[in-house]
Amino acid sequence: MADKQTNELVTIPILSTNDLFNIFDITEGGSEKIKKVDAIDLISYFQLPANYIRKVTIQETVSSYGVISRLDGKVVIQTSVVTSQEGGIFRIDAGSEFEVTGTAEMQLFLNINAAQVRMGDVVLADNQSYGNSTPYGADMLLYMINTTPSTIYTIQLLAEVTNASIGWTANPFRRFIYTTEYVY
Amino acid sequence: MGDNKLTIELLDIPAVADSDLLPVYDISDVSSERLKKITAANLNSYWYNSFSPNFANAITIEETTAQTGWLFGNNGGAYWLLETNVVTSQFGQTMNIEAGSQFLGSGSGHIQLLLFLDTVLVATSDGYGFNNIAYGNSTLEGAGRIEYYLATTQGVSYTFELKTHTIGVGEQAKFSNRYIYSTESDY
């Protein structure tokens, strides 16, 4: 009786970057032809045609920062220190929600290594006039930068309150800095 | 006879060309031909799909931090060109365009950002106000953003232009930190 043979597609497992793989080293003449490499090295072995995502850093704080007034100027409300793994491109997404009193407005800024690289729009969160009845607002900033391997980047999100009255304040919450590194 | 010393050295891993044939062991084939050959390019595709659905990305950064001169409002109905980015599709998939600019206004007016693809207007931002005299808003500075997605054809070049106009007779604005980022993912 003839056996029936069934070919099935094999499900490819999700791999971890720490997984070790056996490779067969055809340049080795001795008994140690089989060697092990991790998944990252194995990927590096193949020439990649374009950038790929290497590492994502999440810096997020849900709780409120505290009251900021116009007199405080620009205040650092979130900091993320990220080291470039191999050099490539950082994509930085940062933002915050905020709650105001009176007619306060808030503006976000993004600093890289103490230098301002981005600012947001002046976000209105007027609870008294102009037909805007909510005391809440939010904004997000986007910045991309070429990175150098092993270099540390200090990313800071800052907020400034602008309004006519010194007495009105803003309180940022759900502040975040997400950094994604793409490697060539 | 002396001791045999076994020395293991890490070898430099050679670069592989896309067309190089590599041996693979096909476990789905129960015949005697399990050992097959695959090109390095196809093996690359295998690894991309194994690790992440959005593994390969082609990113272009076009950014100018210097400030423009004053651009006046009601520019005869025309738009001011702030930034240009010409991008060639690598994968023929979906391209994400993110563009924006910072501005400094004079007087009380608005600016608006516009994104053109091959001279055709495809996206418009909200109007961003600047005001130095009224409504309690004492700042003249602001910023705007536009995001747009495009289904691409591999090998085709696309020209993206970030433009603006100021709204309000006699109002004017300067623009700095103008950028166009494009990200195309292979999935």
Side-chain angles (χ1 to χ4, degrees):
Chain A
M1 191 172 103
D3 290 335
K4 282 190 176 179
Q5 294 179 339
T6 302
N7 294 342
E8 294 180 0
L9 288 177
V10 175
T11 302
I12 299 172
I14 303 297
L15 301 177
S16 157
T17 54
N18 296 322
D19 286 347
L20 289 173
F21 297 87
N22 289 328
I23 61 171
F24 190 69
D25 184 357
I26 60 174
T27 66
E28 180 70 59
S31 60
E32 298 297 329
K33 284 190 172 182
I34 302 293
K35 298 181 177 179
K36 289 181 185 295
V37 295
D38 65 25
I40 288 296
D41 286 339
L42 194 57
I43 289 174
S44 301
Y45 173 79
F46 300 109
Q47 292 178 333
L48 297 172
N51 307 334
Y52 62 97
I53 296 173
R54 183 73 168 188
K55 183 184 180 186
V56 178
T57 301
I58 298 174
Q59 175 63 245
E60 181 158 350
T61 307
V62 175
S63 61
S64 62
Y65 173 83
V67 169
I68 302 172
S69 77
R70 198 180 84 180
L71 294 177
D72 293 326
K74 294 177 184 175
V75 176
V76 176
I77 59 174
Q78 189 78 346
T79 300
S80 182
V81 179
V82 185
T83 302
S84 169
Q85 290 199 350
E86 292 190 9
I89 293 174
F90 268 171
R91 178 199 169 96
I92 301 164
D93 294 88
S96 174
E97 300 172 28
F98 60 94
E99 181 179 16
V100 304
T101 62
T103 58
E105 305 153 352
M106 202 174 83
Q107 192 170 22
L108 296 178
F109 304 84
L110 188 71
N111 285 6
I112 308 291
N113 296 337
Q116 181 178 310
V117 295
R118 235 359 135 240
M119 70 160 53
D121 198 39
V122 176
V123 180
L124 308 176
D126 188 339
N127 63 357
Q128 290 191 336
S129 56
Y130 313 133
N132 184 353
S133 59
T134 177
Y136 300 101
D139 199 13
M140 285 177 62
L141 306 179
L142 166 67
Y143 186 65
M144 289 193 184
I145 184 176
N146 290 297
T147 52
T148 303
S150 302
T151 300
I152 298 172
Y153 297 86
T154 300
I155 304 161
Q156 291 178 309
L157 180 67
L158 299 91
E160 183 176 25
V161 173
T162 61
N163 61 313
S165 169
I166 293 175
W168 302 137
T169 61
N171 184 1
F173 59 100
R174 244 189 289 273
R175 310 178 299 281
F176 63 89
I177 298 175
Y178 303 146
T179 306
T180 306
E181 186 171 38
Y182 298 89
V183 176
Y184 294 101
Chain B
M1 183 171 150
D3 294 338
N4 286 326
K5 284 190 175 178
L6 179 63
T7 302
I8 301 174
E9 296 179 359
L10 289 176
L11 300 177
D12 289 335
I13 299 175
V16 178
D18 282 351
S19 58
D20 285 351
L21 285 173
L22 306 174
V24 295
Y25 191 69
D26 183 359
I27 60 174
S28 68
D29 190 340
V30 297
S31 72
S32 60
E33 298 299 326
R34 283 187 163 186
L35 187 58
K36 298 178 177 178
K37 291 187 176 180
I38 187 172
T39 65
N42 286 337
L43 197 57
N44 272 345
S45 299
Y46 170 84
W47 284 110
Y48 296 154
N49 294 330
S50 299
F51 274 83
S52 167
N54 295 320
F55 195 67
N57 299 275
I59 298 175
T60 67
I61 297 176
E62 181 62 50
E63 180 149 354
T64 306
T65 55
Q67 199 167 49
T68 67
W70 290 108
L71 304 180
F72 286 86
N74 287 3
N75 178 31
Y79 303 118
W80 299 103
L81 177 63
L82 297 177
E83 196 72 64
T84 302
N85 194 4
V86 180
V87 187
T88 301
S89 169
Q90 287 199 21
F91 309 119
Q93 297 288 350
T94 302
M95 193 176 287
N96 174 217
I97 307 299
E98 292 167 291
S101 178
Q102 180 178 324
F103 63 84
L104 169 66
S106 171
S108 298
H110 290 77
I111 69 104
Q112 194 171 34
L113 298 177
L114 309 101
L115 183 68
F116 286 75
L117 166 59
D118 295 337
T119 73
V120 176
L121 176 64
V122 292
T124 306
S125 79
D126 195 23
Y128 300 100
F130 54 86
N131 183 5
N132 62 357
I133 56 173
Y135 309 130
N137 183 353
S138 59
T139 181
L140 296 174
E141 293 182 310
R145 278 176 71 172
I146 291 180
E147 184 166 14
Y148 182 69
Y149 281 87
L150 172 70
T152 55
T153 302
Q154 191 170 33
V156 172
S157 294
Y158 301 92
T159 300
F160 295 98
E161 293 175 307
L162 178 65
K163 297 185 178 183
T164 188
H165 63 158
T166 54
I167 303 168
V169 177
E171 313 305 338
Q172 52 188 344
K174 291 181 176 180
F175 295 83
S176 60
N177 294 83
R178 311 179 298 278
Y179 63 92
I180 300 177
Y181 301 148
S182 78
T183 306
E184 188 177 30
S185 300
D186 178 20
Y187 57 87

